[in-house]
Amino acid sequence: MDILMASKYRGCLLGALLGDCLGAPYEGESLVSKVVLQQYFDKLGGPYFKAPVKMYTDDTAMTKCLLNNILSNRGVEPRDLAKRFTVEYFNEPRRGYGQNVIDVFHKLRAEKFEDPFGPARAQFNGGGSYGNGGAMRIAPIALFYYKSLSDVIENAKVSTKVTHTNKKGVDGAVLQAVAICQSLQSNPEGKLNPQEFSDKLFNVMASVEKDEEGLGLDDPTPYQAQLRVVKDLLEKGDAASDEEVQMKLGTSVAALYSVPTAIFCFLRARTNIPEIETDNPFRRTLQYAISLGGDTDTIASMAGAIAGAFYGDSFIPENLKKHCESSQEISDLADSLYDLTKKA
Ligand code: R7I
Ligand code: MG
Ligand code: MG
Ligand code: MG
C-alpha cells in the first residue's frame, strides 16, 4: 500500500507537470487535430532524442510554490504562500500568467503582504476572479490533506483565496482537489465506475454549494449542473462529438468551464477514444484533453493530476517525462510531500 501511495503522489504531480508542459504549445487553439497530437505524443514518448525541454507555465510555477509552502510550514500558511507566489512571479514573469492575477502580485508586494487575501478580494470590482488559477495548482492540497475531506475543502479554499475569491474560482479548486482525492483512494487495477466517481463528486459539491445558499447568488449550484452534464456526456460515449463536449463543458480559463471538463477527460479516457492510438490510459487522458483546445495547458494539467493520482507514476512514459522541464525535481518534491504526510 505504501509503495502504491508513493507512486500515486509522484503520478499526480508529474501528471500535472506533463499536462502543463505538453499542453502549453497548443493553448488558445480552438480544436487541436488528433492526427497532429498522435504524432507529437508518438515522437516525444518514443525512443529518446535530444531536444530542448517543453517548458512549464504558471500552472506548475504556482503548484511548486504551494508544495514548498506546505513542506516548509507542515500545512498551508497563507501569508508565506502570498510571498512565494509574488517572489516567483517577479523572478520569472514570462510563464504565461492570467491577465489579471498579476495585479494581485503587484498589490501584495506594495502592501508588504499585510493581508494575504486583500488584493485578491479587490479583483474585478470586488467580485474576485473566477479564473481556474486556484484549481490548476491545487494538487499538493489534495495530496497532503486527503485523509480528511473537510481539511481538503477548507485548505483548498484558503489557498485559493490568496489569488481568487470569487465563489466559482474557489469551488472549482475544491472540486479539482476532491477529484484528486477520489483517485488517490481508488485501486488502479480495479474497475472504476465513471458514473459512481462523478456521483460522489456531485454529492460533495451539493454540500459545498449548499453552505453558500444564503449568499443570494443568481446561480447557486453551477458545479452540480456541470457535473450532471459530465454524466450525460459519459453516457453518450462516442456519440458525443468533441464539439458537443467543448460547447457543453467548455475549455476556457473560467474554473466553471474547465474543471468539470478535466474530470470528464479523465473519466472518458478510461476506455478507447476514436483517433487516439495508445493502450496507455494516462497518455490517452492528456492527448484527449489537449485535443479539445482552449485552455489546453491547464485542462491537460488538471486531467493529468487526476489520472496520475489514479494510475500512479508507473503509467507515465519515461521518455515523455524526460522532455518536460523539471520532471526530476517534481518527482523528488512528490517524495518529500509523501514523507511529510506519513509523519503528520
Ligand atoms: O485564473 P488565473 O490565474 O488564470 C489562469 C490561466 C490558466 O489558463 C493559466 O495557464 C494561464 O494562462 O492563465 O488568472 P486571472 O487573471 O485571475 O483570470 C484569468 C482570466 O479569467 C482573466 O484574465 C479574465 O479574462 C477572466 N476572469 C474574469 N472575467 C470577468 N469577470 C476571471 N474572473 C473574471 C470576472 O469576474
Ligand atoms: Mg499556464
Ligand atoms: Mg495563458
Ligand atoms: Mg492555461
Side-chain angles (χ1 to χ4, degrees), residues 24 27-28 57-59 95-99 253 295 297-298:
E27 195 179 15
T57 76
D58 58 324
D59 304 49
R95 290 279 187 185
Y97 285 85
Q99 292 284 310
V253 295
D295 193 0
D297 62 338
T298 305

